[in-house]
Amino acid sequence: MSGPVLYGLLGAALVALGLFGLVVQAAVLRKILAFNLLGGGVFLLFGVVARRTAPAGLAADPVPQAMVITGIVVAFAATALAVAMALRMYQITAAVTVSPPPDAQAGDA
Amino acid sequence: MILDWLLDGMVALLILAAALWTLAAPTPFAAVIGFVGFGLLASLAWVRLAAVDVALTEAAVGAGATGVILLQSAVRLRRGAAEVAAATPGRATTLLAGLLAGGLGLGLALAVLALPATVPGPAAEAAARSAEVGLGNLVAAVLMAYRGLDTLLESIVLVFAVLAVWAMGPDRHWGGIPGPRFARQRDGPLALLARWLPPVGIVIGIHIAWVGADAPGGKFQGGTVLAAMWVLAWGAGLVRPPSVADRRVRLVLVAGPLGFLLAGLLGAVLDGSFLAWPAALGKPLLLLVEAAMTLSVAAALALLVVGPPERRA
């Protein structure tokens, strides 16, 4: 095992943690955070792959690196939009989760 | 060798701890602080993976810009503890989610361990393209030439994200001033920083964007530093965000993607394929597009941090 493999395993753990948080946590802001952890894990896995396809004389393959840079910027844009939507929802309904309000649940039952 | 192992092991453990804290922190604010720490530590991991360009982007965009947005929202979304407790899934769902996430993580870990040591990648082809366009930094060459279409679409994503965030404002504020208003700071560290840091930061931002052609850096990293300087002055109440109806703002916002698109079309006319940088105009044209992109990235990032219109112009 070597350094990149260690970070690959870390990436796998981060994907698992992020997915778990995304499902289990109720608050929208926490879900957005968990989603970003998941994304960070995926990017790290990409970075590990970048070490493996590196041609002789280069430490890392530039193609996955460029794609991760694109990914980080797009993830930021998506986070900004998600946060804006969460704040707007809070303004309109005073809700900080996406679950239906308790009275609506009682109505369904 | 042992030192390398110690360093990698420590960085990996710290990242894992920061991620756990982000999920388990008692308050949203503490969770966001954990996430910013996670981003900064992740950029250390990128340095260890020999991806310095990614490390810069992760630190500037992943930790910095994302952190500012999340902190703002953590302050605004502080209430609702009872609602969150009521909506938190029960033990059975948690267990199921744990099994699902654990299974996925285990599968990915096995895949990582099963990866072949070295496999041929597209790097050689990318390196050939980088010589054509005269960029010494291979990552920049991939962003502009080899995978130029990705970068073009990404810059358009930023514009769309700004439009979507603006659209989150209430109708009556359309055409108004975006974001919260900050009181003008006359004293204290923020007032001092907001006056002293931007002149230095602007030079550094432009430098990072400029050296990106041959060294780690580039338009996204440099543009983020430029945006951060403006956000600092905004937070200290020294500058006011322009109205979302201001044509100059919109022009700066689309200058990069538009320039990129036009250069791509020029390539189609002169060289026969979209986004082929014509050899005759090659580097000057590329630098012009990079400069416009730096400005547009800075404007888009700053506007995304500021948020939707909240009051009349």
Side-chain angles (χ1 to χ4, degrees):
Chain A
M1 206 162 91
S2 61
V5 174
L6 182 69
Y7 289 115
L9 296 177
L10 175 67
L14 288 174
V15 170
L17 275 178
L19 183 65
F20 180 71
L22 192 62
V23 177
V24 166
Q25 298 201 307
V28 179
L29 181 61
R30 299 274 189 156
K31 279 190 193 288
I32 295 172
L33 280 170
F35 188 74
N36 270 295
L37 289 182
L38 203 169
V42 173
F43 294 151
L44 265 184
L45 287 174
F46 244 87
V48 173
V49 173
R51 289 293 293 245
R52 277 157 194 278
T53 56
L58 275 182
D61 186 341
V63 178
Q65 287 189 56
M67 293 173 94
V68 168
I69 290 178
T70 304
I72 291 174
V73 175
V74 171
F76 163 75
T79 303
L81 178 57
V83 164
M85 289 172 91
L87 286 173
R88 185 77 180 122
M89 181 181 78
Y90 179 69
Q91 258 180 13
I92 296 174
T93 65
V96 294
T97 69
V98 283
S99 65
D103 51 330
Q105 274 172 342
D108 290 341
Chain B
M1 188 65 201
I2 292 183
L3 213 62
D4 278 355
W5 263 106
L6 268 178
L7 191 58
D8 283 334
M10 245 160 56
V11 169
L13 274 181
L14 283 172
I15 291 175
L16 202 61
L20 283 169
W21 173 258
T22 304
L23 288 180
T27 64
F29 199 82
V32 173
I33 299 290
F35 179 75
V36 173
F38 166 81
L40 292 175
L41 289 165
S43 66
L44 273 183
W46 285 111
V47 174
R48 296 292 300 158
L49 286 169
V52 182
D53 293 85
V54 182
L56 280 172
T57 314
E58 174 65 40
V61 183
T66 311
V68 172
I69 289 186
L70 290 169
L71 275 180
Q72 277 185 352
S73 65
V75 170
R76 288 185 174 194
L77 293 172
R78 246 193 299 218
R79 272 171 296 179
E83 183 199 344
V84 172
T88 300
R91 201 164 284 181
T93 315
T94 307
L95 190 70
L96 216 62
L99 284 177
L100 173 74
L104 179 68
L106 204 65
L108 284 174
L110 289 176
V112 167
L113 290 175
L115 279 174
T118 48
V119 283
E125 202 183 326
R129 290 285 280 137
S130 109
E132 271 171 46
V133 291
L135 291 174
N137 179 357
L138 281 180
V139 178
V142 172
L143 282 172
M144 291 310 280
Y146 183 65
R147 299 291 309 175
L149 188 62
D150 290 354
T151 311
L152 172 63
L153 293 176
E154 168 192 18
S155 67
I156 295 172
V157 163
L158 278 180
V159 176
F160 281 0
V162 171
L163 286 183
V165 166
W166 280 355
M168 288 299 137
D171 282 355
R172 63 182 188 282
H173 290 153
W174 182 251
I177 305 290
R181 190 201 308 257
F182 291 104
R184 196 182 175 96
Q185 301 282 320
R186 301 207 173 274
D187 253 325
L190 184 58
L192 185 71
L193 274 181
R195 284 171 196 282
W196 280 92
L197 213 50
V200 182
I202 288 167
V203 173
I204 291 177
I206 293 172
H207 175 75
I208 291 177
W210 173 256
V211 298
D214 291 309
K219 53 199 167 301
F220 294 113
Q221 298 90 334
T224 311
V225 175
L226 293 179
M229 291 306 121
W230 184 87
V231 167
L232 187 63
W234 171 59
L238 297 177
V239 290
R240 199 176 81 139
S243 143
V244 298
D246 192 327
R247 280 194 193 283
R248 286 166 299 175
V249 177
R250 296 184 180 186
L251 192 68
V252 173
L253 196 58
V254 298
L258 203 64
F260 208 153
L261 200 60
L262 288 178
L265 289 174
L266 196 66
V269 173
L270 293 180
D271 258 27
S273 83
F274 182 59
L275 286 174
W277 296 93
L281 299 166
K283 190 141 186 205
L285 183 66
L286 199 132
L287 287 180
L288 212 61
V289 171
E290 287 258 7
M293 282 281 285
T294 306
L295 270 183
S296 294
V297 166
L301 258 61
L303 289 169
L304 286 174
V305 167
V306 169
E310 293 188 14
R311 59 203 145 91
R312 275 166 215 263

